[in-house]
C-alpha cells in the first residue's frame, strides 16, 4: 500500500563487553568501541541501544541508567567534552531499572544519534552499584518506504 514504511537494520556493534562497576550517581565509559553512523551504521541516523547489567543489592525500582554520548571529530579532530555526572554533554536516553539482583537487559531507541561518539552509562539514583561486567550494544536502523 502507498505510504507504508519498513524498518531497515544494520549490523549490531558491541560498545562494551565487560564494563567496570559504576557506583550510585557516577558514570563509566563504554570503552571497547566508539560508534560511527557512517562507518558502522550504514548512514542510518537512528539506533537501538541495549544494556545488560546486574546489581549485587537490589536497586531502587524505576531509577535509571542514563546513556550519554560524547560527540567526536565535531570540528576536524576536535571532540566535545567528555560527559560528567553534573553535565551530560549529549543525553541519549534512559534504561529503566528493576529492583532485582538477577541480570537485566533494557533497550532504548534513539533518533538522530551523533555522527561519531563515545558512549557512557550514568547510574542515576539507583542507590546501588552496577556490578562490573555490564554490556552495551548498538544496532543502527532507519525507516524506509515499503517496496
Amino acid at each position: 500500500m502507498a505510504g507504508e514504511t519498513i524498518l531497515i537494520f544494520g549490523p549490531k556493534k558491541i560498545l562494551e563487553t565487560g564494563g567496570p562497576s559504576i557506583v550510585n550517581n557516577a558514570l563509566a565509559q563504554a570503552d571497547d568501541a566508539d560508534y560511527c553512523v557512517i562507518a558502522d551504521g550504514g548512514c542510518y541516523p537512528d539506533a537501538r541501544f541495549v544494556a545488560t547489567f546486574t546489581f549485587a543489592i537490589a536497586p531502587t525500582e524505576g531509577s535509571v541508567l542514563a546513556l550519554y554520548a560524547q560527540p567526536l571529530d565535531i570540528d576536524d579532530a576536535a571532540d566535545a567534552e567528555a560527559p560528567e555526572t553534573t553535565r551530560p554533554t549529549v543525553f541519549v536516553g534512559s534504561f529503566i531499572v528493576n529492583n532485582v539482583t538477577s541480570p537485566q537487559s533494557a533497550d532504548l531507541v534513539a533518533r538522530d544519534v551523533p555522527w561519531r561518539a563515545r558512549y557512557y552509562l550514568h547510574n542515576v539514583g539507583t542507590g546501588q552499584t552496577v556490578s562490573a561486567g555490564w554490556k552495551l550494544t548498538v544496532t543502527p536502523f532507519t525507516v524506509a518506504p515499503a517496496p
Side-chain angles (χ1 to χ4, degrees):
M1 298 192 116
E4 289 185 359
T5 60
I6 60 171
L7 292 177
I8 301 173
F9 297 93
K12 178 169 65 172
K13 182 170 186 179
I14 298 171
L15 302 179
E16 181 62 59
T17 57
S21 61
I22 311 171
V23 298
N24 187 47
N25 295 321
L27 57 86
Q29 180 184 346
D31 63 4
D32 288 357
D34 300 337
Y35 176 70
C36 178
V37 168
I38 297 164
D40 302 317
C43 295
Y44 297 164
D46 306 322
R48 177 183 184 224
F49 292 89
V50 175
T52 301
F53 50 91
T54 58
F55 292 87
I57 300 170
T60 302
E61 182 156 345
S63 55
V64 299
L65 296 179
L67 183 64
Y68 296 157
Q70 175 193 12
L72 303 173
D73 301 339
I74 59 175
D75 183 15
D76 296 321
D79 301 334
E81 293 296 313
E84 300 171 8
T85 56
T86 57
R87 188 192 42 76
T89 306
V90 175
F91 174 74
V92 177
S94 295
F95 300 103
I96 308 301
V97 172
N98 194 3
N99 63 343
V100 297
T101 57
S102 56
Q104 300 181 50
S105 290
D107 73 335
L108 69 88
V109 171
R111 303 287 185 183
D112 295 321
V113 297
W115 289 1
R116 182 164 178 254
R118 287 186 191 110
Y119 287 88
Y120 294 74
L121 280 184
H122 183 194
N123 181 354
V124 184
T126 65
Q128 302 300 328
T129 297
V130 175
S131 299
W134 54 270
K135 180 179 174 183
L136 181 65
T137 63
V138 58
T139 302
F141 75 93
T142 193
V143 178

